[in-house]
Amino acid sequence: MQINRTASAHWTGGLKDGKGLISTQSGALKDYPYGFASRFEGIAGTNPEELIGAAHAGCFTMALSLILGEAGFTAEHMETSAKVTLESVEGGFAITAIHLSLSGRIPGADEATFTELANKAKAGCPISKALAAVPITLDVKLA
């Protein structure tokens, strides 16, 4: 089975004065603005690192749901945030770290089991695998 998803970016202008628009196949984002100011200066709009974080948090949480089910658990709720760190390094900018923070209520699971299964999901989710060149850390909290 092969699944292909698409997204696109449109850009006009130079780096600092230019403006971009991001769209996704699903329409979840349609001509959504991004640019230098939203990436480096905290101005409204999105940026590639935020989108990577959303993709990683979503993928990881879905993978954990599968792994929990295989272990006989069903999440009452889970919340994952992903902090993607972009830093100036020799030769330009690079994503140097991703930190996942997970909290959840899993009836019947203790903290050690939840942490073990979450680490399995972190290692196995397709987005984690795609981002394997970046150190990925995880903290887990059972609510």
Side-chain angles (χ1 to χ4, degrees), residues 117-142:
L117 297 176
N119 277 300
K120 186 175 176 183
K122 178 179 76 88
C125 109
I127 301 294
S128 288
K129 290 177 183 178
L131 300 171
V134 177
I136 301 169
T137 55
L138 169 67
D139 66 62
V140 179
K141 180 178 159 189
L142 195 57

Side-chain angles (χ1 to χ4, degrees), residues 22-32 46 51:
I22 292 177
S23 297
T24 57
Q25 175 183 347
S26 69
L29 295 174
K30 177 137 179 71
D31 295 334
Y32 200 84
T46 192
L51 297 171

Side-chain angles (χ1 to χ4, degrees), residues 6-143:
T6 61
S8 62
H10 173 81
W11 188 266
T12 55
L15 174 63
K16 289 191 176 183
D17 67 343
K19 296 191 183 325
L21 300 171
I22 292 177
S23 297
T24 57
Q25 175 183 347
S26 69
L29 295 174
K30 177 137 179 71
D31 295 334
Y32 200 84
Y34 80 106
F36 186 89
S38 64
R39 191 172 194 185
F40 295 104
E41 299 171 353
I43 303 300
T46 192
N47 57 73
E49 294 74 33
E50 177 180 76
L51 297 171
I52 287 170
H56 200 178
C59 181
F60 162 77
T61 307
M62 287 181 73
L64 180 53
S65 179
L66 170 69
I67 290 167
L68 285 168
E70 291 171 345
F73 301 106
T74 301
E76 188 174 300
H77 78 270
M78 292 188 286
E79 182 75 30
T80 304
S81 66
K83 178 181 170 185
V84 178
T85 302
L86 178 70
E87 291 185 285
S88 178
V89 297
E90 186 176 325
F93 280 86
I95 293 174
T96 58
I98 299 172
H99 181 73
L100 300 171
S101 293
L102 166 69
S103 67
R105 179 166 298 164
I106 316 300
D110 60 26
E111 190 103 20
T113 301
F114 189 40
T115 299
E116 175 188 339
L117 297 176
N119 277 300
K120 186 175 176 183
K122 178 179 76 88
C125 109
I127 301 294
S128 288
K129 290 177 183 178
L131 300 171
V134 177
I136 301 169
T137 55
L138 169 67
D139 66 62
V140 179
K141 180 178 159 189
L142 195 57

